[in-house]
Amino acid sequence: MIRLKNTEEIDGIRRSCHLLADTFNYVLPQVKAGMTTREVDDIFVSYIKKHGGKPAWYRENFDGAACISINNEVIHGIPSKKRVIKDGDIVSLDVGIDLDGFISDSCHSVLVGNVKPEVRKLDEVTLECLAAGIEACRVGNRISDISKAVYEIATKHGYGVVYDYCGHGVGLDVHEDPSVPNCPSRGPNPRIQPGMVLAIEPMINLGVPDVYVSDDGWTVLTEDGKTSAHEEHTVAVFDDHTEILTDLNYKLK
C-alpha cells in the first residue's frame, strides 16, 4: 500500500533529509585513500547522533550504519576495519537517517584520487540518470516514466542497468511501496500522486546488468566484476513540482 504523506509528515521527512544532506556535506570531503570503510562509517554515526538523529539502516547481521560499496560492489557493502579505500576507487555511500521517526535516504558515489576515465564517465552518466528520473517524477506520470528515463540514458552509453534492486517509497519507514525500478518492468505501475515520497536510485554497471549476493549475505556485486555506480535522492511530489529533499545545496536556495 502506498502511503501518501500529509504536509506535517513531509515537513518531518524534509528535516530528516536536510540533516542527511548536512551529514554528506561533512563526510564526503573526508573520504580518502588509506581510510577503512569502518572509519568512514564511524564518521557518519558520530555526526548523525551529534545532531539528534540515528542511523536508519541498522539491521540484524549488518554491522554498520552506512552501506559502503567499492568498485564492483553495487550496494549493501558492510563497513569493515579490513576494507581499505585505495586510490582510483569509486566508493558509494548509501545512508539513511531516522529523525524523530521520519526517514531520509540518499547515496553518493565518491571518486577517490586518480580514477580511470571510464569510471568517472560512468558516475557522470549515473548522475544524469538520477536527474532524468527525478525530472520524470511528476504528477500525472507513472512510475514507469521514471524507469524509462533512467534506462534510456544508461543504455545509450552501453551500460548495464541493475534490475534486481530498485528505488522505493520512503519517509515513515526505510522501504515502502511503491517499488521504483530503473528499467522496464511488468510489475505494478501506479500513477504518481501528490504526497508520494520516493527514493530514486539508479544503480548502473560498466558491464552487464546482472548481479549476485556475496557469501556475507549482504554485499551485492556485479556478475562480470566490472565497476558499478550508485546515486540516490529522496524526493517529495507536490501538485505543481517535485522537491529534492536531500539536495546537498538546499541551504543555498
Side-chain angles (χ1 to χ4, degrees):
M1 180 182 72
I2 297 173
R3 304 162 77 176
L4 300 179
K5 281 71 174 181
N6 59 35
T7 300
E8 181 180 351
E9 290 169 333
I10 291 178
D11 284 344
I13 298 165
R14 183 184 288 110
R15 289 193 297 273
S16 179
C17 287
H18 285 182
L19 175 55
L20 183 53
D22 286 340
T23 304
F24 271 113
N25 282 329
Y26 178 74
V27 175
L28 291 177
Q30 300 187 58
V31 179
K32 300 288 191 295
M35 298 179 71
T36 68
T37 55
R38 172 60 64 193
E39 289 174 319
V40 177
D41 190 69
D42 288 344
I43 298 172
F44 272 113
V45 173
S46 176
Y47 191 91
I48 291 168
K49 289 185 175 180
K50 179 180 178 181
H51 291 84
K54 57 183 179 181
W57 181 245
Y58 282 133
R59 291 289 187 276
E60 185 178 356
N61 299 323
F62 188 94
D63 184 20
C67 297
I68 304 179
S69 309
I70 302 177
N71 297 334
N72 64 320
E73 298 169 349
V74 182
I75 50 172
H76 300 167
I78 303 173
S80 170
K81 293 180 180 179
K82 298 180 180 179
R83 191 75 160 103
V84 178
I85 297 170
K86 300 176 182 178
D87 182 78
D89 283 344
I90 179 172
V91 184
S92 73
L93 307 170
D94 189 357
V95 185
I97 293 177
D98 180 338
L99 183 65
D100 302 323
F102 297 105
I103 310 298
S104 53
D105 191 7
S106 189
C107 179
H108 296 278
S109 289
V110 181
L111 304 176
V112 181
N114 298 303
V115 176
K116 293 180 180 179
E118 60 264 34
V119 174
R120 190 173 298 276
K121 180 184 175 184
L122 173 68
D123 189 51
E124 290 172 353
V125 172
T126 303
L127 285 166
E128 289 180 27
C129 290
L130 175 59
I134 293 171
E135 180 63 30
C137 183
R138 294 287 184 271
V139 170
N141 282 357
R142 291 188 178 274
I143 293 296
S144 62
D145 291 303
I146 300 174
S147 310
K148 181 181 178 182
V150 171
Y151 186 80
E152 286 185 347
I153 289 177
T155 55
K156 180 179 69 175
H157 291 274
Y159 297 144
V161 183
V162 174
Y163 51 83
D164 284 339
Y165 299 88
C166 62
H168 51 88
V170 70
L172 303 180
D173 203 348
V174 175
H175 290 101
E176 303 176 14
D177 291 334
S179 294
V180 185
N182 293 306
C183 56
S185 169
R186 294 185 177 181
N189 185 26
R191 197 170 292 281
I192 297 169
Q193 305 175 59
M196 280 186 171
V197 178
L198 304 174
I200 299 175
E201 52 178 319
M203 291 158 269
I204 310 298
N205 297 345
L206 195 58
V208 299
D210 309 283
V211 299
Y212 70 97
V213 180
S214 74
D215 292 339
D216 65 23
W218 281 102
T219 308
V220 177
L221 301 103
T222 58
E223 185 68 43
D224 58 7
K226 293 185 178 180
T227 301
S228 185
H230 180 199
E231 302 284 351
E232 175 185 21
H233 274 308
T234 293
V235 305
V237 180
F238 298 90
D239 285 306
D240 59 348
H241 71 288
T242 294
E243 179 182 349
I244 304 174
L245 299 177
T246 48
D247 187 347
L248 298 186
N249 298 311
Y250 77 90
K251 287 184 177 179
L252 303 179
K253 293 184 176 180

